[in-house]
Amino acid sequence: MTKVMGAAMRRIQAGNALTAFGIGFTVPFLYIYVAQVRNLGSMAATSAFVAFALGALVALPFTGRIIDRRGPVPVVMGAAVAASLGALSLGLSTGLVPILLSALALGAGQAVMQPALATMIVWCSTPSTRTRAFALQFFMQNLGLGIGGLIGGQIVDVAHPGSFTLLFGIEAVMFLVLAGVIATVRMPHAPSIKDAVPRDPSQAGGGWKRMLRNQAMVKLLVLGFVVFFACYGQFESGLAAFGTEAAGISPSTLGFALAANTGAIVVAQFVVLRLVEKRRRSRVIALVGLIWTGAWLIAGFSGLGHGSAVMAAAAFVATYALFGIGEAMLSPTLAPLVADLAPEGSVGQYNSAFALVKQMALALGPLGVPLGAGVPMLYIGVFVVVSLGIAWLALRLGKQLTPAQDNPSLLKGAPSAPVAAVAVVKAAEPASV
């Protein structure tokens, strides 16, 4: 990694952490703000979450092409400004329509930032250093979210709407800080993995059509959807409903479980990184599926009612902690793999597609609520099978990857200078007629 890459990476990671810190101020309190502080009720609060997701789903299909054509820097800056305006407006809104429009803008801005920042990390890293870069990003995000949530919890007061306005104002400022930091970044262009560049002339073409011809990427998108639906999509919906309804978990215990999840990520991230960065990515993801299978079984035990309330609470907290261990293993594998599958000039498109799949999984996550609350053991059984499916899908994906894509540590002895990389890419391109 060159000095220019290192300097750019430090600024990107700092901006990413500050943004997560700002988001942490508001994420835990959005439902309370809409339903109770603005007295609009639970349906309005649910609609705000739907608008947030809808903003992401509408914006992401167009994001990748803009990133690849204009570069990630202006996209991050534009998205940060849009998110800042959305956050500030949300904190000042009192009616349902302004709140929904604000949530739409905030959701779109935050969603667009994800693939653009991921593309910046790709450009500021080499295939062999990318694993550690994405692990650091995930660590900083969770640390920022956790600290922001803790401080925000000390500020909010349901009896004083101005305290919530202050939180959204802080979030808005953090988005503008991100835009300012990114504006100072000098972007290099990192090399691609040689074997990731399509050699088949039939793959020539633009955007989504070419990407959907990439069998490895299609399998990764399916795997990503299942991963996000089975984990993140259940945290605050189906699994929370299961815990409170079937296992008798109190809201305070649920909060402690979420804290245990973040704590497990923060504590384990770099320990886990040392264990996984020299191993095959497909097998690491398969192992995550097995760990999450164990987590769901432990969650099922908490809802059986055979032990004390303390045992049920401990089992439920352990479930969230195990999910955190799995997340720490995924952060240095999934996102870098998306980048390493992307042909030259399509990193933004591939990152945006993966972000879109994630948002779709999160939007569908609440479908688990009726099962978690009404048929709890069936709910557990379904997600045990889903987690085993993650392991199976990961192993199938491994068969589509080249050795370098599956284990980028093999590239450490290979030349990685941009000039050499350009020569490799040009050699792999189909000749024009």
Side-chain angles (χ1 to χ4, degrees), residues 57-392:
L57 295 175
V58 169
L60 281 171
F62 309 100
T63 302
R65 187 171 291 249
I66 298 173
I67 293 173
D68 291 328
R69 287 184 175 180
R70 303 295 182 186
V73 171
V75 175
V76 173
M77 293 176 63
V81 171
S84 178
L85 292 173
L88 184 61
S89 176
L90 193 57
L92 296 172
S93 299
T94 57
L96 179 58
V97 173
I99 283 176
L100 293 181
L101 291 175
S102 301
L104 196 72
L106 180 57
Q110 284 189 220
V112 169
M113 274 186 270
Q114 294 176 23
L117 284 169
T119 302
M120 291 184 74
I121 291 174
V122 171
W123 285 15
C124 294
S125 62
T126 63
S128 59
T129 62
R130 204 160 287 152
T131 295
R132 188 165 289 270
F134 277 102
L136 179 60
Q137 182 201 32
F138 189 68
F139 172 83
M140 297 297 285
Q141 280 180 339
N142 279 275
L143 188 62
L145 287 169
I147 295 174
L150 286 174
I151 297 176
Q154 306 305 309
I155 296 174
V156 293
D157 184 347
V158 176
H160 295 86
S163 65
F164 286 83
T165 302
L166 175 61
L167 293 190
F168 285 105
I170 293 172
E171 182 183 30
V173 169
M174 289 298 104
F175 285 129
L176 293 180
V177 169
L178 172 66
V181 170
I182 295 303
T184 67
V185 174
R186 291 177 55 198
M187 288 298 299
H189 198 305
S192 303
I193 285 183
K194 173 182 177 181
D195 293 329
V197 180
R199 295 174 178 271
D200 185 354
S202 67
Q203 291 196 29
W208 290 91
K209 185 180 293 186
R210 179 175 65 174
M211 184 186 68
L212 293 176
R213 291 197 191 107
N214 186 331
Q215 293 185 17
M217 185 59 188
V218 171
K219 284 184 168 62
L220 181 59
L221 291 175
V222 173
L223 174 61
F225 178 87
V226 177
V227 164
F228 291 119
F229 181 72
C231 177
Y232 301 95
Q234 302 308 309
F235 272 2
E236 296 178 6
S237 57
L239 189 54
F242 170 85
T244 54
E245 297 292 336
I249 300 300
S250 67
S252 61
T253 301
L254 179 59
F256 189 72
L258 288 167
N261 173 263
T262 301
I265 293 169
V266 171
V267 170
Q269 182 65 81
F270 292 103
V271 176
V272 167
L273 179 62
R274 294 191 194 98
L275 298 176
V276 306
E277 64 180 341
K278 293 184 179 180
R279 287 171 172 79
R280 293 175 62 177
R281 287 166 168 168
S282 58
R283 292 184 179 179
V284 171
I285 300 169
L287 180 58
V288 171
L290 297 180
I291 291 173
W292 285 358
T293 299
W296 284 107
L297 290 172
I298 293 173
F301 171 79
S302 73
L304 289 176
H306 294 327
S308 66
V310 173
M311 289 179 61
F316 198 72
V317 170
T319 297
Y320 275 77
L322 283 174
F323 272 116
I325 298 296
E327 292 173 73
M329 295 170 66
L330 288 176
S331 64
T333 52
L334 282 178
L337 182 54
V338 173
D340 293 341
L341 287 174
E344 186 186 29
S346 297
V347 174
Q349 180 77 55
Y350 276 53
N351 280 325
S352 296
F354 197 72
L356 178 62
V357 164
K358 178 181 179 180
Q359 290 296 329
M360 291 172 62
L362 295 178
L364 294 176
L367 293 177
V369 171
L371 278 181
V375 196
M377 289 304 111
L378 177 59
Y379 174 73
I380 294 297
V382 166
F383 281 97
V384 165
V385 173
V386 169
S387 297
L388 291 172
I390 290 172
W392 179 73

Side-chain angles (χ1 to χ4, degrees), residues 8-22:
M9 183 68 77
R10 285 190 291 273
R11 296 189 183 196
I12 294 166
Q13 299 288 22
N16 175 68
L18 289 170
T19 304
F21 174 72

